[in-house]
Amino acid sequence: MGSSDAIPAAWRAALDPVLATPEARQLGGFISAEEAAGKAIYPPRGFRLAALQLTPLDQVKVVILGQDPYHGPGQAHGLAFSVQDEVKVPPSLVNIYKELESDLGLPRPAHGNLTKWAQQGVLLLNTALTVEDGKPASHAGKGWEAITDAVIAAVAAKSDPCVFMLWGNHARKKAMTVPGLGADTHHLVLTAPHPSPLSAHSGWFGSGHFGQANAFLEAQGRGPVDWRV
């Protein structure tokens, strides 16, 4: 991961045990070897744990789970579905914005930077936190899963009720293996097809997750998320 991507203090108690596992140790070596071989890895060093840096465990209200970072130059900056300000808004995020407009009446933003969500307790987590240029899912199964599974489990173990937005089969299957998210959970678990153009018309549009999330958070006394970016 690199020294510039140290686990933030707020997450260390939850993640220290998994960092000692062989899977986590192998991850650092794998990424270093890939970079040493001249491969472009996204997001760049210093951004790979941005989701954890911007959203401490005790502040998490909502978890949105993606699969892996965008694999084009300059896109990924450590937050699932988010891109840097000057980058064209990707198709999945365009559809997220369309649903926000339909659900809450919010105008569609001109940029795709979701940092303001992260700063309000929306954990924008991918299952794998790095990817090789032009090769989606290229870092799947390389060790990130042990770390991100532990992140999801730590949120599920919180006594504060949270919202889990699980979009697509990958996110659904991933989070449903986590203790604390079963039928008797005190969290709100919302599922829908993925917002990508391939599946958005199969039930993503009209899912109303953003309004449901805020209604739940307000009922729990936690305060709503301002979904404007």
Side-chain angles (χ1 to χ4, degrees), residues 18-185:
V18 75
L19 294 175
T21 63
E23 294 90 344
R25 287 200 299 269
Q26 289 166 7
L27 173 67
F30 165 75
I31 293 175
S32 295
E34 293 289 279
E35 290 175 327
K39 295 179 180 180
I41 306 300
Y42 306 133
R45 287 179 180 266
F47 290 89
R48 292 168 186 172
L49 298 180
L52 302 184
Q53 290 160 353
L54 288 169
T55 314
L57 177 57
D58 64 352
Q59 295 179 25
V60 176
K61 291 182 174 182
V62 178
V63 177
I64 296 178
L65 183 61
Q67 197 156 345
D68 62 346
Y70 294 120
H71 55 271
Q75 290 182 301
H77 65 122
L79 305 177
F81 294 103
S82 181
V83 291
Q84 303 274 28
D85 290 289
E86 67 280 4
V87 177
K88 182 181 178 181
V89 180
S92 290
L93 186 53
V94 168
N95 287 340
I96 290 171
Y97 286 167
K98 287 179 180 178
E99 177 61 17
L100 268 171
E101 183 178 44
S102 171
D103 189 8
L104 300 178
L106 298 181
R108 297 180 207 174
H111 67 88
N113 191 328
L114 304 180
T115 296
K116 286 185 179 178
W117 291 4
Q119 292 170 334
Q120 294 181 76
V122 180
L123 182 63
L124 296 162
L125 185 70
N126 281 312
T127 300
L129 301 185
T130 53
V131 69
E132 183 182 341
D133 175 47
K135 295 185 177 180
S138 50
H139 288 190
K142 302 299 184 183
W144 278 120
E145 290 82 358
I147 295 170
T148 54
D149 281 2
V151 170
I152 298 167
V155 177
K158 281 164 56 84
S159 58
D160 293 328
C162 299
V163 181
F164 287 78
M165 294 185 182
L166 308 179
W167 301 335
N169 290 332
H170 174 84
R172 262 200 300 267
K173 291 175 182 174
K174 188 75 172 171
M176 287 309 175
T177 62
V178 174
L181 293 183
D184 59 347
T185 184

